[in-house]
Amino acid sequence: MSAVGSIEVRRALISVSDKTGIVEFANALAAIGIEIISTGGTYRLLQENKISVTEVSEYTDFPEMMDGRLKTLHPKVHGGILGRRGQDDQVMQDNGILPIDLVIVNLYPFKDTVSRPDCSIDTAIENIDIGGPTMVRAAAKNYAHTCIVVDPRDYSGVLADIRRDKGWLSAHLRFSLAAKAFAHTAEYDGLISNYLGAIAAANEQLEDADNTDLNLRSVREAGKRVFPGTHSMQFVKKQDLRHGENPHQEGAFYVEADNTEPGVASSTQLQGKALSFNNIADTDAALECVKPYADPACVIVKHANPCGVALGADLLQAYDLAYQTDPTSAFGGIIAFNREVESDTAREILDRQFVEVVVAPSFSEDAIKTFARKPNIRVLACGELVNVRQTALDYKRVTGGLLIQDRDLGIVSEDDVRTVTKREPTEQEMDDMLFAWEVAKFVKSNAIVYARQRRTIGIGAGQMSRVYSAKIANIKAGDEGLKIAGSVMASDAFFPFKDGIEAAARVGITAIIQPGGSIRDDEVIAAADAHDIAMVFTGMRHFRH
Ligand SMILES: NC(=O)c1ncn([C@@H]2O[C@H](COP(=O)(O)O)[C@@H](O)[C@H]2O)c1NC=O
C-alpha cells in the first residue's frame, strides 16, 4: 500500500436501499458538520427527519429520470468521488465538482427480489442496480481520498473513527472498507450473472426461447435446477487455520455470508483448542449424519466416516450404544448429538474416551461446566437442527474444475421401499433397515452398515469392493464382541453378484436394504430367498466419495 494518511470528511453522499440505521448515522454526521447529498428516497427520509440535506439533482443540476435508472450517473458525482485531492483540484474547480469524501451506498435488493416466486424478468432487470455499484467501485478505487461504506453494520465504526480524530477518517479503515466494497459488488454481480445465466440456459433447453417469463415459470414449476453457463459464488473467511489437512498445507475456513442452516459453519465454539481443517470436515460429516433423526441420536465420526451411530431413549443411551460399535476408532473422534447435551452425557464422554470435538444444538450449563474439566476439548453449539435447506448445492473440486450437484437429501420411508424376496421383513427388521440405510448415506462408498435395534453393529467404509466393506464390518463387529446374527444390512449401491448376499447369510444377516438395479438382481434375490433373508429395494443409491 502506498503511504496514505487520514482524510478530512467534509461532504458525504448517501444513497441507500436498505435504510436501516441511516437516519441515526446521517444525523450524527450532520452534527459533526458534514454536508450531506442524497438521492430521491433517501433524501426524503433524511428531510422528514429534519436532517440538513441537498438533493443530488440540485447539486448536479440534472433531474433524476427514467424511473431511477439515472440518479447519480453524472460527472459532478463521479468526479467528486474519483478526484485525486492535490492532483485534480484545479480541474474539479473548473467544472464545479465538489469533493465527496464519504460515500454511503447499498444496492437494490436483487437477491430478495428474484427469490420471490412471482418475480418476472422485467422486475428482476429493474432491480439490477447500476448507479450504486458505479459509485461503490469509484469510491473504493479512490480509497486514498474517499471512504466507501456499503454495510449498515459499519456505520458505528466509521462514526467512532471520525469522532476519534475530530472529523478525520483513518487510512487503514478506508482501505479495509474499500476491499469489502469490491467483495460486495463482486457478490452482487455474481448473483446477477448466476440468475441470468440460469435463465439463458433454460431458454436454450425450452421450446420458446424468447419467452423468458414462461421459461422461468416452467423451470420453477418443474422444480428443475438449471445450471448457469458460469457459476459464481462467494464465501467469507471465518478463520485462518493452523494448517490444512496436513501440516505442510496452509488452510482457512470460509462460510456463506447469509447461511441460516445450522451446521459446522454456524457453530459457536464454547471451549477448546482452535479447530483444525480435519476437525471442521469431520464435524460437518458427524452433524449431517445426526441431523435426520427425530429420536435422541449420537454419531461418532473418524476421518469423515461414522464409526458408530445409535438412537436411544436419551442421549446418554444413544452415546453408549454408538460408542460400543467401535470403541477403538471412537478414540480421538468427533461426537455429534441432535439435541441439548446434559451433564450426564458430558461426564460419560470424559470418563470414557479421548475426544477431539463434541457438537450439539446446545449444552446445558452443567454440561458446559463438566467439559470445562478438560479445556482442550472443542465443544461446539450449532443451534437447533431446523431450516435444513432443500435446495442447497454440493461442490467437489477436481483439478482444473468444479463438480456441482444437489446435496444428497434423498430420504426413503417404509412406503418407498419394495420387498423383492418371498419373505416380508418384520416390523423390527424394517425399522432397523431404514435406520441403517440413513447411516449408509453418510459412509464413504462402498458402504456396508450392519444394524440391530437402531444402533450400528459394524460399518465397512471406503473399500473398492462391496464384499471387502462387508468383511471389514464383520471384523469390526467381531473385534468388539458384537453379535451380527439377527442384524440387518444396508448397502449404499446394488450388489452386482450374489456373493455379497451369501456372505451376509453366513454371518447371520436376516434382512437387507439396497437400491437394486443390477442386471443380476434375479440371482441376488434368489440367493436371499435361499437363505430366508428378507430384502427390500429402495430404488435410490447413496454413493459418497
Ligand atoms: N441510477 C443511478 O444513478 C443510481 N444511483 C444510485 N442508485 C441506487 O438507488 C438506491 C437509493 O435510491 P433512493 O435514495 O431513491 O431510495 C441505492 O440502492 C443506490 O444504489 C441508483 N439506481 C440504480 O441504478
Side-chain angles (χ1 to χ4, degrees), residues 29 31 78 132 154 178 187 204 216 230 263 312-313 343 345 365 375-376 411-412 440 454 456 487-488 496 500 523 536:
L29 295 176
H78 285 276
D154 290 322
E187 186 202 18
E204 272 165 35
L216 248 178
T230 304
S343 57
T345 310
E365 270 184 40
N376 281 345
I411 289 179
V412 159
R454 305 175 129 207
T456 50
S487 299
V488 305
E523 284 173 37
V536 298

Side-chain angles (χ1 to χ4, degrees), residues 6 21 76 182 218 332 371 405-406 484:
S6 294
K76 283 184 80 173
F182 277 117
S218 25
F371 280 119
Q405 62 172 349
D406 285 320
I484 300 172

Side-chain angles (χ1 to χ4, degrees), residues 336-512:
F337 296 100
N338 63 346
R339 59 193 64 202
E340 178 161 288
V341 171
E342 307 280 353
S343 57
D344 55 349
T345 310
R347 256 194 315 277
E348 192 58 36
I349 294 171
L350 295 191
D351 291 348
R352 209 182 266 203
Q353 71 167 106
F354 165 58
V355 56
E356 286 271 337
V357 178
V358 182
V359 61
S362 58
F363 294 82
S364 73
E365 270 184 40
D366 282 349
I368 293 171
K369 280 189 201 139
T370 307
F371 280 119
R373 277 174 23 210
K374 297 217 173 142
N376 281 345
I377 296 177
R378 301 159 181 94
V379 176
L380 300 184
C382 65
E384 284 308 307
L385 298 176
V386 289
N387 293 332
V388 175
R389 280 177 294 186
Q390 298 304 317
T391 54
L393 289 172
D394 190 30
Y395 302 93
K396 187 181 175 69
R397 275 291 266 143
V398 294
T399 303
L402 180 70
L403 287 165
I404 307 182
Q405 62 172 349
D406 285 320
R407 203 156 115 190
D408 185 1
L409 293 168
I411 289 179
V412 159
S413 73
E414 189 171 343
D415 296 338
D416 303 316
V417 301
R418 183 164 62 90
T419 303
V420 291
T421 45
K422 288 183 187 137
R423 183 166 80 74
E424 288 279 343
T426 64
E427 218 174 287
Q428 180 66 51
E429 283 172 334
M430 180 60 81
D431 192 49
D432 284 339
M433 282 193 292
L434 294 174
F435 165 77
W437 179 249
E438 195 56 54
V439 176
K441 185 158 98 183
F442 296 96
V443 176
K444 302 261 179 189
S445 301
N446 289 308
I448 291 289
V449 177
Y450 295 165
R452 195 175 59 248
Q453 289 174 337
R454 305 175 129 207
R455 58 179 286 207
T456 50
I457 295 293
I459 299 174
Q463 296 304 301
M464 293 68 87
S465 130
R466 195 156 298 284
V467 170
Y468 272 90
S469 287
K471 281 186 184 171
I472 286 171
N474 293 342
I475 294 168
K476 290 202 160 190
D479 283 357
E480 304 305 343
L482 296 171
K483 190 164 79 72
I484 300 172
S487 299
V488 305
M489 174 168 77
S491 170
D492 63 345
F494 65 62
F495 285 93
F497 304 103
K498 63 180 182 178
D499 57 352
I501 309 300
E502 284 166 347
R506 279 197 293 279
V507 294
I509 293 292
T510 65
I512 297 172

Side-chain angles (χ1 to χ4, degrees), residues 24-347:
E24 296 75 11
F25 188 34
N27 216 352
L29 295 176
I32 297 169
I34 296 169
E35 188 186 324
I36 297 172
I37 302 174
S38 204
T39 46
T42 315
Y43 165 82
R44 282 190 293 281
L45 178 70
L46 299 186
Q47 248 214 346
E48 277 160 28
N49 283 277
K50 314 261 178 298
I51 297 166
S52 165
V53 54
T54 307
E55 196 165 6
V56 79
S57 52
E58 190 187 326
Y59 165 57
T60 57
D61 198 21
F62 205 86
E64 287 190 16
M65 60 176 72
M66 302 178 192
D67 303 317
R69 283 188 169 209
L70 286 183
K71 300 185 196 180
T72 55
L73 291 163
H74 192 282
K76 283 184 80 173
V77 171
H78 285 276
I81 297 172
L82 280 165
R84 290 157 294 187
R85 318 313 188 234
Q87 187 174 338
D88 298 321
D89 298 351
Q90 191 58 52
V91 74
M92 288 168 81
Q93 212 181 323
D94 293 348
N95 291 283
I97 295 171
L98 298 173
I100 296 169
D101 315 302
L102 181 59
V103 177
I104 302 149
V105 171
N106 59 57
L107 310 177
Y108 286 173
F110 181 80
K111 189 177 183 182
D112 289 349
T113 305
V114 298
S115 66
R116 282 185 219 123
D118 57 346
C119 175
S120 67
I121 187 69
D122 289 346
T123 308
I125 293 292
E126 278 320 309
N127 273 277
I128 297 176
D129 200 322
I130 299 299
T134 312
M135 287 191 289
V136 170
R137 298 182 83 252
K141 171 177 169 140
N142 203 26
Y143 79 91
H145 306 283
T146 65
C147 180
I148 174 67
V149 188
V150 294
D151 184 347
R153 286 169 299 184
D154 290 322
Y155 295 167
S156 59
V158 169
L159 206 53
D161 197 278
I162 296 178
R163 282 179 174 149
R164 197 175 308 122
D165 206 3
K166 299 190 172 46
W168 291 67
L169 245 174
S170 65
H172 73 271
L173 179 60
R174 297 192 327 268
F175 191 81
S176 68
L177 290 174
K180 182 169 178 170
F182 277 117
H184 186 58
T185 52
E187 186 202 18
Y188 195 75
D189 276 345
L191 287 169
I192 297 168
S193 141
N194 285 350
Y195 179 77
L196 297 183
I199 297 174
N203 285 346
E204 272 165 35
Q205 286 166 25
L206 296 167
E207 287 132 53
D208 189 352
D210 289 330
N211 197 340
T212 298
D213 271 329
L214 178 74
N215 294 342
L216 248 178
R217 262 201 313 280
S218 25
V219 167
R220 262 190 217 126
E221 277 158 21
K224 198 171 145 32
R225 191 182 287 287
V226 183
F227 293 100
T230 304
H231 185 80
S232 300
M233 53 184 175
Q234 194 174 74
F235 293 88
V236 179
K237 189 162 80 179
K238 183 162 181 178
Q239 64 206 81
D240 282 312
L241 300 172
R242 210 149 68 95
H243 52 69
E245 200 162 2
N246 299 293
H248 63 276
Q249 295 167 272
E250 306 263 348
F253 182 31
Y254 284 80
V255 300
E256 291 168 46
D258 55 357
N259 171 50
T260 52
E261 182 172 356
V264 67
S266 71
S267 293
T268 306
Q269 187 167 356
L270 304 180
Q271 69 155 57
K273 290 199 289 192
L275 287 166
S276 73
F277 183 99
N278 295 324
N279 289 157
I280 292 168
D282 288 350
T283 301
D284 181 55
L287 257 184
E288 294 312 300
C289 183
V290 87
K291 260 181 194 178
Y293 300 107
D295 291 326
C298 174
V299 173
I300 307 179
V301 158
K302 266 295 269 302
H303 295 298
N305 274 306
C307 59
V309 182
L311 308 184
D314 53 32
L315 286 191
L316 182 59
Q317 190 191 30
Y319 166 64
D320 178 45
L321 295 171
Y323 176 82
Q324 281 177 33
T325 308
D326 189 353
T328 315
S329 304
F331 182 84
I334 311 289
I335 308 177
F337 296 100
N338 63 346
R339 59 193 64 202
E340 178 161 288
V341 171
E342 307 280 353
S343 57
D344 55 349
T345 310
R347 256 194 315 277

